[in-house]
Amino acid sequence: MKKIKIFEYDCMLFFLTQGFSLISLNIYTKNVKTDAYLIPIIGTIIGIIPLLLFTKIKEKNSKLNINSLNIKIFGKIFGNIINTIFIILAFIIGAYIFFILTNFISVEYLYKTPLNFISFAFALPTIYILTKNISIISRSIVILIFIEIILFITSSLGLFGQINTHELFPIFQNNISEFFKTVFLHVSFILTPLFFLNIFSKNEIQNSKNLKKHTIIAYLIGNIVFFLTIFFNISILGIELIEVYQYPEYEVLKFANIAGFINNLEPALAIYWMINLFSFIVICFYYSKKSILQITKFKNTNKFNIFFSCTVLIICLLSNNIFKQFSITNLFIVISFIFICIIFFLWIIKNSN
Amino acid sequence: MKILKKIIVLFIIFMLTGCFDYKELNNLAIITKMAIDKNGDEFEVSFSIENTKSNTESNIIYTAAGKSISEAINNIQLTLPKKIYTGHLSIIIINEELAKNNLNQLINYLIKSKEYSQNFYLALSKDKSSKETINEISNLETKLSKNILSDINNEITFSDFLKTLIKPGIDPVLPVITIKDNTIDVSSTLALFNNYKLVAFSNENQSKGINLIYNKTKEMIIPIKSDNKNIATIKLSNINTKTKIKNNTIININIKENYTIKEINYEIKKQTINEIKNKTKNEIKKLIQEGIEISKNNDIDIFGFGNMIYKNNASYFNKIKDTWGTEFKKINPNIKINLITDDNLQQTTIKENNNS
């Protein structure tokens, strides 16, 4: 059994918290206007309870990953049905984020290039990395996190001087129920992808003694970055301009200015979003790959890799056509999160029995 | 599996070379200024293109007309041997007719066009067409080797303009470029808008007042008349304006500035300094009130007092939002001016004391 390092696990957790950050700003500002920057603060506090619950179950069943645990608790038939649902969920979320990635590149960089061509270009490295084993994937993610840190710090330094606190008001002008609905949506955006990390049992992580501590720290860092993204956007662009642009996260980078002479950095700094989404997609598809292998007990890995690569390629190419017409609603993510919570709840009941 | 890997690597080689859809710098027409005129039913777009050959004039103007802005730009492209590149665009100048009737169309076009950086400046050309204006600017810049646009006092980028257009309780302004007898005036007039329509132009004093409230003026010269013959010229520097709101309706404008007597044609005494100081304060107040007056006369809030009320108490502003034009007229901001003596003036005083 190949093990991953705890730091690699933390990096994966960080990327999973960022998956929906590129689309969440528009959704939050549409729902709660200026209060959008308060959503990650409240959401982080509320979200820590289910996160601790997830970690506790993982620690209790240290030898079993999610698929084995489902089979153990719900039996072979029901367990496999639930596992299949989770695999489909991982494919749908992965494909949706892939669509967001290609659409983002198409809108902001390659507006004259066909979307399918961009999809194909990004599907190839995704497929290639998925043919490798987990130690290579996790090491790649660690390299990406260092690039990510440099880009985020550069963006923050460039944007810090442009903050206009006047734009952060008025607050609490919306319906309180709308505010908490959006908080719940944020919790779903953060915690639904984190569920895919359960593909690693506790024993598959090196030095997993401090797993709870590491999980909480990575979760908090992910949420702080999420908050800062929304904070910079609202305080610099203002909610009126945010509503005008499709990707305000890219537009705000046009204001980045370091020491008065380093500017026009947005094409380079926006690579941050591409790394975020790419890593997220890889983890989602890896979850599906490992789960299918575990359920089907496929022995010929080469043949399986070809089959899985073709599936991912088809999904990636179809994602543009499907999600252009049927965009995933927020409700889908919320329902997925509720479904995950129900499964966890049933685990707890069955475990206590 | 090895064959699959080879195929993938082969594809990556072709994709990552950068040869696909490449553009050489020599094949790009780099646009630095753009002028858009609305004449009757047609839009006339002019581009000032940076000339890459050093032995001829630095800018060349290309013009074409069309039923829409996109069509006019496309028509320019048909006459140009190079590909239009707007990534280095520094300013778009529009004419009065466009500002009165088709601003909405221009904004819509610019938001949707990803080729534009959105950090370029916007200005309005008065009396002459914007095509003539960029032509004059290009000629003068070649002669003087100077960027004339850096003289614009109230420079407004496209994103700033867009913000003021869509925010509640604030109306936008644009700097006006006027050309008279081969001189370009970029700071004495401002164009005032109500939503997407040009409604008025401010005169020099009103523009000074508006820029003071905007905190865009950093230095200013004010002549103070003591009587019919005697004039003292005051230089104001480090001007800093802060506008604050209190109890939803009280607007306080606090101006802090250094002042120096630059020139004086009469004998200075201790009491005359106070007199000059008071007269300077009154003169600044007068400028600000003139700026506010033109805004009130046109039922528009170019200072964003309404937006300040909205930020402070949104529910209160939402109640008066529809009648804000008339509510705004009732607002009389408290203007507080704090003049700080410069060393220069103290020296004058010391000299005067020594003499007496």
Side-chain angles (χ1 to χ4, degrees):
Chain A
M1 184 171 54
K2 280 190 175 152
K3 283 192 173 189
I4 59 164
K5 289 174 189 163
I6 188 103
F7 180 65
E8 292 167 347
Y9 180 82
D10 294 341
C11 295
M12 285 189 208
L13 199 152
F14 171 81
F15 278 125
L16 287 174
T17 58
Q18 304 300 306
F20 287 94
S21 59
L22 191 61
I23 54 160
S24 54
L25 178 64
N26 275 337
I27 298 168
Y28 296 176
T29 48
K30 196 179 165 192
N31 289 357
V32 293
K33 303 281 172 193
T34 328
D35 297 346
Y37 68 94
L38 301 172
I39 298 290
I41 301 171
I42 311 292
T44 310
I45 300 163
I46 294 173
I48 211 151
I49 303 158
L51 182 82
L52 287 174
L53 209 69
F54 290 1
T55 322
K56 202 173 180 186
I57 291 166
K58 199 171 191 166
E59 280 182 336
K60 225 175 176 183
N61 304 282
S62 57
K63 284 179 186 171
L64 304 173
N65 70 4
I66 175 121
N67 297 313
S68 320
L69 201 63
N70 275 335
I71 291 166
K72 184 192 161 192
I73 291 174
F74 300 108
K76 207 175 179 184
I77 297 169
F78 279 110
N80 277 334
I81 290 170
I82 292 166
N83 288 340
T84 315
I85 293 170
F86 284 145
I87 292 167
I88 294 167
L89 184 69
F91 268 129
I92 293 173
I93 293 178
Y96 182 57
I97 298 297
F98 189 85
F99 163 71
I100 292 169
L101 171 68
T102 50
N103 194 51
F104 173 69
I105 292 163
S106 171
V107 170
E108 301 296 353
Y109 290 87
L110 306 168
Y111 37 83
K112 287 179 184 168
T113 312
L115 201 56
N116 283 335
F117 189 86
I118 302 168
S119 301
F120 191 65
F122 269 89
L124 292 181
T126 313
I127 291 166
Y128 182 73
I129 199 165
L130 285 167
T131 57
K132 302 291 171 191
N133 59 41
I134 186 61
S135 54
I136 294 172
I137 295 174
S138 52
R139 261 183 281 156
S140 311
I141 281 170
V142 170
I143 294 166
L144 290 176
I145 205 115
F146 285 116
I147 303 171
E148 186 95 336
I149 290 167
I150 294 165
L151 290 172
F152 186 76
I153 290 172
T154 316
S155 312
S156 303
L157 286 175
L159 293 173
F160 195 74
Q162 316 294 326
I163 290 172
N164 179 7
T165 48
H166 193 240
E167 298 287 358
L168 300 170
F169 297 95
I171 50 168
F172 299 123
Q173 293 302 314
N174 303 284
N175 194 342
I176 193 85
S177 66
E178 194 61 50
F179 182 82
F180 279 103
K181 266 184 206 171
T182 315
V183 167
F184 190 69
L185 182 68
H186 174 78
V187 174
S188 310
F189 277 167
I190 298 279
L191 291 185
T192 309
L194 286 191
F195 168 80
F196 299 134
L197 280 181
N198 288 321
I199 196 67
F200 306 108
S201 64
K202 198 188 170 196
N203 283 2
E204 282 176 85
I205 305 162
Q206 286 175 13
N207 305 322
S208 57
K209 276 181 192 170
N210 296 325
L211 184 70
K212 197 194 266 179
K213 192 178 149 193
H214 277 262
T215 307
I216 290 168
I217 290 170
Y219 168 80
L220 287 178
I221 292 171
N223 271 291
I224 289 167
V225 170
F226 204 116
F227 162 75
L228 285 174
T229 309
I230 295 179
F231 178 80
F232 280 132
N233 273 278
I234 294 178
S235 62
I236 294 167
L237 291 178
I239 53 155
E240 293 84 7
L241 274 189
I242 287 173
E243 283 169 6
V244 169
Y245 298 120
Q246 188 177 0
Y247 292 109
E249 293 87 351
Y250 183 84
E251 299 300 327
V252 78
L253 293 174
K254 288 181 178 173
F255 291 82
N257 189 326
I258 301 168
F261 65 96
I262 305 171
N263 43 27
N264 293 338
L265 296 169
E266 69 278 2
L269 294 179
I271 293 170
Y272 170 84
W273 295 108
M274 292 183 216
I275 294 173
N276 256 346
L277 302 187
F278 177 75
S279 311
F280 183 95
I281 294 159
V282 168
I283 300 165
C284 283
F285 286 149
Y286 178 78
Y287 174 89
S288 305
K289 185 190 166 185
K290 200 178 167 190
S291 298
I292 294 171
L293 261 177
Q294 206 177 338
I295 294 168
T296 56
K297 289 170 183 150
F298 224 99
K299 280 177 186 169
N300 190 335
T301 35
N302 277 349
K303 272 188 184 169
F304 178 75
N305 273 340
I306 293 169
F307 159 73
F308 191 74
S309 301
C310 293
T311 315
V312 170
L313 183 68
I314 292 165
I315 287 172
C316 290
L317 292 177
L318 286 178
S319 67
N320 294 327
N321 303 314
I322 295 169
F323 293 115
K324 249 185 185 177
Q325 290 166 14
F326 311 101
S327 177
I328 280 194
T329 56
N330 303 333
L331 194 66
F332 176 81
I333 305 294
V334 171
I335 289 171
S336 308
F337 178 63
I338 292 170
F339 178 71
I340 290 166
C341 286
I342 291 168
I343 297 293
F344 268 89
F345 190 65
L346 289 173
W347 282 358
I348 294 165
I349 292 170
K350 294 247 176 183
N351 257 345
S352 58
N353 287 342
Chain B
M1 198 60 206
K2 278 182 182 175
I3 297 168
L4 184 74
K5 275 182 190 173
K6 278 176 190 169
I7 292 168
I8 291 171
V9 170
L10 208 67
F11 269 114
I12 290 172
I13 286 170
F14 282 115
M15 281 179 182
L16 301 182
T17 50
C19 296
F20 172 73
D21 205 18
Y22 78 101
K23 289 181 192 92
E24 286 286 354
L25 194 60
N26 289 341
N27 299 327
L28 293 178
I30 300 166
I31 315 292
T32 52
K33 297 178 196 76
M34 184 173 170
I36 309 174
D37 291 294
K38 179 82 199 292
N39 301 320
D41 286 344
E42 286 207 318
F43 288 90
E44 192 182 57
V45 176
S46 307
F47 282 147
S48 171
I49 296 170
E50 203 69 25
N51 191 0
T52 41
K53 286 183 181 173
S54 58
N55 53 350
T56 52
E57 54 187 314
S58 64
N59 283 288
I60 308 162
I61 310 285
Y62 276 83
T63 306
K67 292 276 176 209
S68 66
I69 298 167
S70 317
E71 194 191 346
I73 290 172
N74 200 39
N75 289 342
I76 298 180
Q77 182 64 81
L78 293 175
T79 58
L80 261 173
K82 294 180 176 183
K83 181 95 185 139
I84 290 171
Y85 177 72
T86 51
H88 287 291
L89 182 72
S90 59
I91 190 165
I92 292 183
I93 303 170
I94 56 172
N95 75 339
E96 278 182 62
E97 202 189 325
L98 183 97
K100 276 177 189 163
N101 303 317
N102 296 83
L103 193 65
N104 197 356
Q105 198 174 339
L106 173 70
I107 300 293
N108 202 354
Y109 166 77
L110 291 172
I111 290 174
K112 285 179 179 166
S113 307
K114 287 288 165 192
E115 311 92 84
Y116 296 89
S117 72
Q118 310 218 342
N119 286 330
F120 53 82
Y121 296 112
L122 273 182
L124 194 136
S125 167
K126 201 184 167 200
D127 302 331
K128 286 197 173 186
S129 71
S130 44
K131 180 193 169 185
E132 286 171 304
T133 306
I134 58 161
N135 216 349
E136 288 288 334
I137 290 174
S138 298
N139 288 342
L140 268 170
E141 281 185 342
T142 315
K143 278 181 202 166
L144 302 171
S145 304
K146 184 181 183 288
N147 180 11
I148 286 164
L149 300 173
S150 62
D151 291 344
I152 297 178
N153 224 344
N154 195 345
E155 46 190 32
I156 290 168
T157 61
F158 173 67
S159 48
D160 289 338
F161 185 73
L162 192 61
K163 252 187 194 183
T164 47
L165 258 178
I166 53 181
K167 270 185 177 181
I170 185 165
D171 292 297
V173 296
L174 275 186
V176 173
I177 303 176
T178 12
I179 299 172
K180 272 178 196 159
D181 310 322
N182 281 336
T183 55
I184 296 180
D185 177 12
V186 288
S187 55
S188 61
T189 315
L190 289 170
L192 318 182
F193 289 80
N194 186 1
N195 277 325
Y196 287 87
K197 271 191 174 24
L198 169 72
V199 287
F201 289 105
S202 63
N203 63 30
E204 194 175 349
N205 279 352
Q206 288 161 345
S207 305
K208 277 181 185 172
I210 293 166
N211 284 335
L212 271 171
I213 300 175
Y214 280 168
N215 197 22
K216 294 249 180 178
T217 308
K218 293 293 156 206
E219 275 187 4
M220 196 186 239
I221 298 281
I222 299 182
I224 302 290
K225 278 185 183 174
S226 170
D227 50 51
N228 284 340
K229 284 181 183 175
N230 297 330
I231 291 178
T233 308
I234 308 297
K235 186 190 175 189
L236 302 171
S237 54
N238 298 331
I239 303 170
N240 188 18
T241 310
K242 277 181 184 163
T243 315
K244 282 181 182 170
I245 184 162
K246 218 176 164 187
N247 301 334
N248 293 334
T249 46
I250 303 163
I251 307 277
N252 293 320
I253 301 172
N254 295 321
I255 303 180
K256 202 175 163 188
E257 49 207 340
N258 293 357
Y259 81 106
T260 320
I261 301 177
K262 288 297 272 186
E263 282 175 58
I264 190 157
N265 65 354
Y266 59 98
E267 199 182 338
I268 193 163
K269 288 178 185 168
K270 217 170 189 180
Q271 65 267 33
T272 53
I273 291 175
N274 282 336
E275 196 186 312
I276 288 169
K277 211 172 163 181
N278 288 335
K279 281 188 175 176
T280 311
K281 280 184 181 177
N282 289 338
E283 200 61 37
I284 298 164
K285 269 187 189 171
K286 209 176 130 193
L287 289 174
I288 289 171
Q289 267 151 0
E290 277 186 51
I292 294 170
E293 212 52 46
I294 189 179
S295 189
K296 283 183 176 178
N297 290 343
N298 289 288
D299 291 340
I300 50 170
D301 177 7
I302 54 170
F303 306 105
F305 293 154
N307 191 258
M308 287 172 77
I309 295 171
Y310 170 71
K311 298 276 180 194
N312 193 45
N313 189 346
S315 51
Y316 171 73
F317 181 76
N318 288 335
K319 282 178 199 164
I320 57 162
K321 195 167 68 180
D322 298 331
T323 53
W324 177 239
T326 45
E327 291 286 329
F328 171 64
K329 284 186 175 176
K330 292 177 196 165
I331 285 182
N332 284 314
N334 302 320
I335 305 162
K336 199 178 162 192
I337 298 160
N338 183 13
L339 289 179
I340 301 161
T341 318
D342 249 12
D343 290 339
N344 210 347
L345 185 75
Q346 276 171 353
Q347 279 169 16
T348 323
T349 324
I350 291 160
K351 212 174 177 183
E352 182 220 330
N353 288 340
N354 288 343
N355 289 342
S356 61

